[in-house]
Amino acid sequence: MEDVEKQFSNSFGGTIFKGGYWKPGNCQARVKMALIIPFRDRYEQLSIFVHHIHPVLNRQNLEYRIFVIEEAGDTRFNRAMLFNIGFKEALKFDHFECFIFHDVDLIPENDRNEYSCPSSPRHMSVAVDKFNYILPYTNIFGGVGAFTRQHFELVNGFSNKFWGWGGEDDDLFKRINAKGLKLTRPSMQLGRYTMIRMFHKSAQPDEQRFEKLRDSSQRMNHDGLNSLKYTVESITEHLLYTLVTVNLEEAF
Ligand code: BGN
């Protein structure tokens, strides 16, 4: 990470970045975007990610800040809750209108896959090398997704009830449908991603995810942004990202 930081302070004349914030110098960006990354113990991937993503976002002339939301303690990983927290904490920093929810291990291959928010929610990582650049199933919403602030609030964010791997993105897909929103996608040429693969132990699957998915639509109005509970341990503005470390309490 230190090497990556050095490289950015040189190549951009030290003008950008504190907390991973940037805005174009020669034009006014239409909206402010918050890029939210759920995180725990994946520093190698994070340094590769920020190394690649900043230049892409700069070339797209976006005004943005990168938030890394780190789950402290030994509670099971809750990707969805970390996204919800990122949404809330980002709004304490600035009036973001656009939110991109991003896994740390996905690198966009095509600069023209826009990191902005279209008029309906967007699944951006449609062609990932790990899945041989095809959609593994039609309703998949994993990897990278974009929402306007208004739409994310409308679906009450993600469910907070998925602990461990799997299902939370499928649940979000159901929320979008239940509110009559339509999921959009870039073409398979634009939405290409490389997954940074490392030898980490993967998270244990949430064994109850199938049952939880069955009552998605009944839960959505009381399980999400409006029932989110967490405590912030620290907020640190690193050069290339804002790190928000939080404690969660496992509850079902
Ligand atoms: C699916 C997972 C998603 C994940 C994709 C891609 C579930 C729920 C039971 C059907 N869904 O199987 O969360 O994004 O794989 O890895 O496990």
Side-chain angles (χ1 to χ4, degrees):
M1 187 61 83
E2 276 169 25
D3 288 345
V4 180
E5 286 184 349
K6 264 189 222 133
Q7 184 189 333
F8 277 89
S9 13
N10 294 337
S11 61
F12 290 94
T15 51
I16 341 170
F17 305 133
K18 166 109 189 335
Y21 168 78
W22 188 80
K23 70 171 178 177
N26 54 359
C27 68
Q28 167 98 47
R30 257 171 294 163
V31 289
K32 291 184 188 184
M33 181 271 277
L35 193 143
I36 318 276
I37 301 164
F39 183 79
R40 174 187 264 168
D41 195 24
R42 292 280 189 274
Y43 275 98
E44 305 96 322
Q45 289 178 332
L46 183 60
S47 45
I48 296 171
F49 179 79
V50 292
H51 169 80
H52 280 88
I53 203 74
H54 278 297
V56 173
L57 301 177
N58 300 162
R59 286 193 289 268
Q60 293 191 5
N61 270 332
L62 299 166
E63 180 170 359
Y64 66 91
R65 182 185 280 263
I66 296 182
F67 291 91
V68 174
I69 315 296
E70 178 184 42
E71 184 172 333
D74 54 11
T75 42
R76 282 185 288 168
F77 196 63
N78 190 324
R79 174 178 182 267
M81 230 170 144
L82 296 172
F83 280 140
N84 285 344
I85 294 170
F87 178 81
K88 291 219 167 165
E89 291 299 317
L91 288 171
K92 294 179 186 167
F93 270 80
D94 213 334
H95 301 291
F96 293 103
E97 288 300 333
C98 172
F99 290 83
I100 302 205
F101 300 105
H102 212 301
D103 282 348
V104 70
D105 58 356
L106 288 175
I107 304 291
E109 292 182 18
N110 194 321
D111 261 22
R112 289 173 298 144
N113 188 11
E114 276 186 61
Y115 274 66
S116 60
C117 289
S119 49
S120 58
R122 194 163 181 83
H123 178 224
M124 295 175 61
S125 51
V126 293
V128 180
D129 64 343
K130 181 189 167 185
F131 299 124
N132 295 319
Y133 294 106
I134 56 159
L135 275 183
Y137 56 97
T138 321
N139 296 347
I140 190 167
F141 196 18
V144 185
F147 278 81
T148 60
R149 173 182 179 174
Q150 190 203 358
H151 283 154
F152 197 64
E153 280 168 352
L154 181 70
V155 300
N156 195 19
F158 279 86
S159 163
N160 299 314
K161 294 189 187 289
F162 289 81
W163 295 91
W165 183 87
E168 79 295 336
D169 48 345
D170 302 310
D171 185 88
L172 186 66
F173 181 84
K174 292 186 170 203
R175 289 174 178 230
I176 294 169
N177 279 345
K179 291 290 176 188
L181 298 173
K182 198 180 148 6
L183 189 70
T184 62
R185 290 196 166 112
S187 69
M188 299 305 271
Q189 283 73 39
L190 292 191
R192 284 171 73 92
Y193 283 79
T194 299
M195 188 176 277
I196 314 167
R197 280 187 245 185
M198 294 198 161
F199 299 99
H200 289 300
K201 223 173 90 200
S202 15
Q204 287 292 315
D206 180 340
E207 301 296 349
Q208 279 113 43
R209 64 194 190 286
F210 302 97
E211 290 95 90
K212 291 174 188 169
L213 274 173
R214 254 174 246 140
D215 63 358
S216 290
S217 47
Q218 288 98 295
R219 257 187 304 102
M220 69 178 289
N221 292 326
H222 57 265
D223 163 26
L225 287 176
N226 65 2
S227 65
L228 183 61
K229 289 198 183 74
Y230 64 98
T231 50
V232 174
E233 203 174 280
S234 61
I235 299 180
T236 318
E237 288 189 88
H238 291 275
L239 187 69
L240 300 174
Y241 58 94
T242 297
L243 179 67
V244 181
T245 304
V246 296
N247 279 294
L248 310 182
E249 222 176 275
E250 283 196 41
F252 299 92

